[in-house]
Structures are given as C-alpha cells and as structure tokens.
Amino acid sequence: MDLLQLFLKSIFIDNMVFATFLGMCSYLAVSKKVSTAVGLGAAVIFVMLVTVPLNYLLDQYLLRPGALVWLGDEYVDYDLSFLTFILFIATIATMVQLVEMIVEKFAPALYNSLGIFLPLIAVNCAILGGSLFMQQKEFNNITEATVYGVGSGIGWFLAILAIGAIREKIRYSNVPPAFRGLGITFILTGLMAIGFMSFGGMLTGGDEAPKKEVVEAIPPTEMKEVTPVEEVKTDSTAVETVKDSLTEIAQN
Amino acid sequence: MADTKTKEKEPLFSKKNLGLVKDPLADNNPITVQVLGICSALAITAELKASVIMALSVIFVTAMGNVVISLMRNIIPNSIRIITQLVVAATLVILVDLTLKAFVPDLAKKLSVFIGLIITNCIIMGRFEAFALGNTPWKSFLDGIGNGLGYGVILVIVGFFRELLGSGDLFGLGKTYLGHPLLGNPIKGELSGLYALGYENNGFMLLAPMALITLGLIIGFQRSRNKSLIEETH
C-alpha cells in the first residue's frame, strides 16, 4: 500500500514537470508533435527505471557518511558524499550510452523510434533530478527507490504527452504573435500545473497534509468566516483557496 | 591565464568581444530566446535572494567551465566530449555546492537539489558545445560571463515580481514594500500603502504554476518589443 501511495505521489503530486520543473528544456523542445513526445517520454521512463536504483545502490554503499563500513570497521569514518554529483552524472551518462547500445543491438525497431532521443536524455535534468531527490528522500530499500524512479518517469511522460497534444491543437488557434510558440507554451504549462495542484489532496501523505486536516475539520459554514483571516498567510492555505475556487468552477 | 593568448591579435575589449557579453543579455538571451536552462530558472525564483545566489553560481560555472573546456578543446577526442563536459561541469558545481554549504547553509538547504542540477543546466552544455569547443579561452570566458548574466537577469526579474507580489517583501528582509506610505494612506498603525486599497499578498505567486506564467508573460513582453524574435509557427 505504501508503495502504491509512493507511486501515485511521484506521478501526480510531485510531478517532475509541474511541481519541480525538471526536464523543462527537452519538454519544451520536443513537444511540438505527439509522436516524438511519446518517444522521448518512453525513453525517460526507461532510463529512470535503470538509473535511480543504480544510484540508490551507489549512495547506500559508497557515498553516504559511513557507507563504506561493509569494507571493514576502519572505514566507518569515511564520508564521500561530496562526490555525489560527479558519480551520479557519470552513472547516468554511462547508462544512457549502454542502454543505447543494447537497444540498438537487440531491438532495432525501438532504437529507430527512440534513437535520436537517447543521447538527449543524458543532459535531461529530470534524470539527474530523480536521482538527487531519491537521495534526499532517504528511501528505506531499493524497491521504494525503483518505484519512485518509475513513477517520476511516468509523471514526466504524462506531462510531455499532454503538452504535445495541446500544442498540436493550438496550431489552429489565433494566438497573439508575441506569445506564439514559447510564450503560450509556458502559460499553458502554468495552467496545467494549476490543474495538477488539485491532486495535492489525493493522498493524505501530501506534504501539506497537516495543515489540510485542520482546514477540513472545520464545517463548511464556519469555514467562510475563518478563511479571510487565514488566507494567503502560508503556501498551504493558498493551495486550499485555489483548490476551493477550482472546485467552485468545476461545480458551475 | 586566459588573456595572454589573444593579446597580440586584438584588444582585450574589442567591440566583438564586448558583444559576446552584451548579446546574451537581451537579443540572444539564453532563457527567453535560446530556450536553455529553464528548469532551475523556475524552481528557485520564489525568493529574490535565492535567485541572486543561483545566478551567481551559474555565472561562475559557465565562465570557468568555458575557459577550461576552451583550454582543452584541442585534446578532447570527439567521441567522449559529452562526458568530458559533464565531468568539468560537475567538478565546478561541487566547488559551488561546498562553498554555499559552508557560507550560507540556510540558503543551500533551500536550493537543495537545484545547485546539483546546474550540471545538467542546458546553458552550460549548450555553451560548452556551441562556443568553448571552437574559440579561444578569453572569448569563451566573456561568452560564459555574458550567458550567465543573461540567465541571471531573467532569474532576478522573475524573482523580483514573485517575491514582491507574493509576500510584499524583497530579499526576505521582513519589510512590506507594497505597504509603503508613499503608495497611499500614510496614517500610522493602520493598513498602509496598497494594502489600504484592499490589496492582499497574492500567495499564489509563490507557488509553482505562477513561475511558468510569469516567465511566459516576460517572453511575450520581450517579443512584442522586438518583433524579430517572433516565431512563425507554434
């Protein structure tokens, strides 16, 4: 159950694109057509699936303070965490290269559809970001890390798929010249991010959970009197007011 | 070390060299025109202070990295240049990260993974690949400074609006600039400034989606001023 929760949370609530803005460069550059967007999205999921668990092992047995204790008791004081960035990025670059070779050898059809995107992924911040967030979240075992990696990849895939579809349609709309292309894409992504914020309350395990319970405990009639006072003091209350207005719009 | 090489050929601050610094500030801005390095530009701009620190870090990494790559440009084999560039960037970012952790630990915690993500910031790789591999160290240094500054300018603009409208504050000093008496209602002890007119801090500005929308509006504004940047298709 915890794994399912972690999976859903990494897809929707902590969505790579909408909550942490990772992988924006390729998200903007490759989302002009749905077909290419799907190709890159699939490649990202695959690379995340491989690199996040691998980097988890590196972190556990090499990098974190005291991780080298498996070599013997005299290594307990070693702290190699300053090497995190260089090792993680080396792992990612190597894995991307390796994945590219394996796919080329054993699945030429898949290689032809992903081919050009695989090298792009080495410098996709979503991949390195996934590993760095994995390290920050201090997962208990490798299963959790894997689930987190796959979930984040799927979240990124969904985001690029959605914006790809919207950009195909918006070609027929009369966008003001100055906003054509990049400008409107940013604004659309912002609007989609507002939509994704509504997933925030989907699981009680959200980051804003404690505040949220307090607000929800108040009956709806009293809430109207309370909210103007508390409004916009903190991030999480602002989330609540936005959510309220979103539900109102939805009901209308 | 960088400037001795080109000294004989042309003056250090020739017009062309100054252009390398100036162009990325507006007409060839890395964020709004080249579309590089968006990720970090959005994530850490809820506060002006974080934006400034981030901008300085990126300027350091682009400038120094450009010089290093430029010095090595004739000995890097073509097939492993990407990984060489990543290692150079990662080394510089580790320096920045350790420095920040030592001198501004609170802010370093707030920036969390985004300092590490400078490695994969497309500006770094883009400039290494497009400029430093084919130019002399001094030119590469100027190009790095210019692109870092261009990135920093956008970061500071976005950070300024988000923090001012979101919390009425700048640099986290605990003042409320929007409540300044000059903006209206100078009576002490009451709501002053724009707050007297019914304005309330827009906490939504501090959340993720508004970073995207703010940047979208900045891009729209820039393109409406400079028509040559407008894209033909969507």
Side-chain angles (χ1 to χ4, degrees):
Chain A
M1 192 57 212
D2 276 351
L3 284 179
L4 182 68
Q5 207 171 37
L6 180 69
F7 184 64
L8 291 175
K9 188 164 181 270
S10 56
I11 295 181
F12 294 109
I13 302 170
D14 294 337
N15 186 288
M16 278 276 165
V17 172
F18 298 129
T20 46
F21 310 112
L22 296 179
M24 285 300 284
C25 302
S26 27
Y27 168 86
L28 291 168
V30 193
S31 60
K32 280 185 181 149
K33 274 167 68 188
V34 171
S35 53
T36 51
V38 170
L40 186 65
V44 166
I45 297 180
F46 190 59
V47 176
M48 289 284 254
L49 171 69
V50 180
T51 55
V52 173
L54 209 61
N55 281 336
Y56 179 80
L57 290 180
L58 270 182
D59 185 43
Q60 286 293 313
Y61 295 108
L62 201 59
L63 291 173
R64 59 173 47 199
L68 286 172
V69 76
W70 56 274
L71 280 175
D73 284 341
E74 65 270 32
Y75 291 97
V76 77
D77 289 334
Y78 283 71
D79 176 7
L80 295 180
S81 54
F82 67 94
L83 286 174
T84 300
F85 297 148
I86 215 160
L87 268 185
F88 277 12
I89 198 72
T91 316
I92 289 167
T94 329
M95 283 318 296
V96 168
Q97 201 80 50
L98 205 65
V99 164
E100 196 182 346
M101 284 194 251
I102 293 172
V103 171
E104 189 182 9
K105 178 90 173 118
F106 293 106
L110 183 66
Y111 179 77
N112 285 335
S113 56
L114 294 183
I116 39 167
F117 301 118
L118 276 172
L120 263 183
I121 286 176
V123 285
N124 187 330
C125 8
I127 309 284
L128 181 61
S131 289
L132 290 175
F133 274 121
M134 174 273 295
Q135 189 192 33
Q136 204 179 46
K137 282 172 197 264
E138 295 177 345
F139 290 122
N140 297 318
N141 52 48
I142 193 167
T143 324
E144 284 182 11
T146 317
V147 166
Y148 174 76
V150 176
S152 306
I154 293 176
W156 200 86
F157 174 82
L158 283 181
I160 195 168
L161 183 67
I163 196 75
I166 293 176
R167 284 181 85 172
E168 272 193 7
K169 291 285 172 205
I170 210 168
R171 210 169 295 152
Y172 307 107
S173 321
N174 189 14
V175 179
F179 283 95
R180 255 173 226 164
L182 196 55
I184 195 72
T185 312
F186 268 116
I187 292 172
L188 280 172
T189 312
L191 295 176
M192 282 160 74
I194 296 175
F196 264 69
M197 277 170 63
S198 58
F199 286 119
M202 188 171 70
L203 305 165
T204 42
D207 291 331
E208 66 281 9
K211 263 269 159 35
K212 203 175 151 299
E213 278 157 20
V214 174
V215 178
E216 271 185 355
I218 304 163
T221 42
E222 285 175 47
M223 212 166 120
K224 268 172 196 151
E225 299 162 22
V226 177
T227 37
V229 189
E230 284 193 337
E231 215 174 29
V232 200
K233 265 183 191 164
T234 62
D235 280 8
S236 41
T237 43
V239 175
E240 288 310 311
T241 38
V242 171
K243 269 179 214 155
D244 288 346
S245 54
L246 280 175
T247 43
E248 267 173 36
I249 294 162
Q251 279 160 6
N252 291 338
Chain B
M1 55 178 175
D3 45 356
T4 47
K5 258 190 174 176
T6 49
K7 217 177 237 170
E8 299 88 44
K9 288 170 204 159
E10 55 178 319
L12 275 186
F13 291 102
S14 66
K15 213 172 179 188
K16 216 169 117 203
N17 281 352
L18 280 184
L20 289 175
V21 180
K22 238 187 285 170
D23 281 349
L25 286 183
D27 290 345
N28 196 17
N29 190 285
I31 293 184
T32 61
V33 182
Q34 302 175 42
V35 205
L36 298 173
I38 313 281
C39 326
S40 51
L42 296 164
I44 42 86
T45 48
E47 283 172 34
L48 194 51
K49 203 170 165 192
S51 312
V52 171
I53 293 286
M54 188 72 181
L56 290 177
S57 313
V58 170
I59 291 172
F60 172 77
V61 178
T62 44
M64 295 317 291
N66 258 0
V67 170
V68 173
I69 290 287
S70 177
L71 286 171
M72 299 198 301
R73 71 184 184 283
N74 294 325
I75 54 167
I76 302 176
N78 200 35
S79 50
I80 59 155
R81 66 179 197 288
I82 300 273
I83 205 154
T84 318
Q85 289 163 3
L86 283 174
V87 169
V88 169
T91 316
L92 289 166
V93 169
I94 289 172
L95 288 180
V96 170
D97 187 50
L98 292 178
T99 315
L100 288 184
K101 272 187 186 144
F103 291 104
V104 276
D106 296 345
L107 209 58
K109 207 165 219 174
K110 210 173 269 172
L111 290 170
S112 72
V113 304
F114 289 99
I115 288 293
L117 287 172
I118 296 179
I119 302 169
T120 46
N121 190 322
C122 323
I123 295 179
I124 314 281
M125 296 295 289
R127 291 333 288 175
F128 285 2
E129 188 82 12
F131 200 90
L133 279 176
N135 284 285
T136 53
W138 173 244
K139 277 188 181 166
S140 304
F141 177 72
L142 290 178
D143 182 75
I145 294 272
N147 277 284
L149 279 176
Y151 170 87
V153 164
I154 300 291
L155 237 69
V156 168
I157 295 176
V158 177
F160 174 80
F161 281 112
R162 282 184 74 191
E163 191 174 1
L164 187 66
L165 298 179
S167 51
D169 198 358
L170 287 176
F171 288 108
L173 293 175
K175 293 175 184 168
T176 46
Y177 289 92
L178 291 180
H180 197 278
L182 281 178
L183 294 170
N185 194 23
I187 305 165
K188 267 207 170 155
E190 282 182 40
L191 286 173
S192 61
L194 291 182
Y195 297 110
L197 305 171
Y199 179 80
E200 285 197 39
N201 280 336
N202 185 357
F204 198 43
M205 288 299 286
L206 299 175
L207 297 177
M210 278 316 284
L212 290 156
I213 294 176
T214 314
L215 193 54
L217 292 175
I218 290 175
I219 289 169
F221 177 74
Q222 193 195 7
R223 290 184 181 188
S224 64
R225 304 247 112 197
N226 186 348
K227 304 275 188 216
S228 62
L229 297 176
I230 291 175
E231 291 172 49
E232 294 282 312
T233 55
H234 292 297

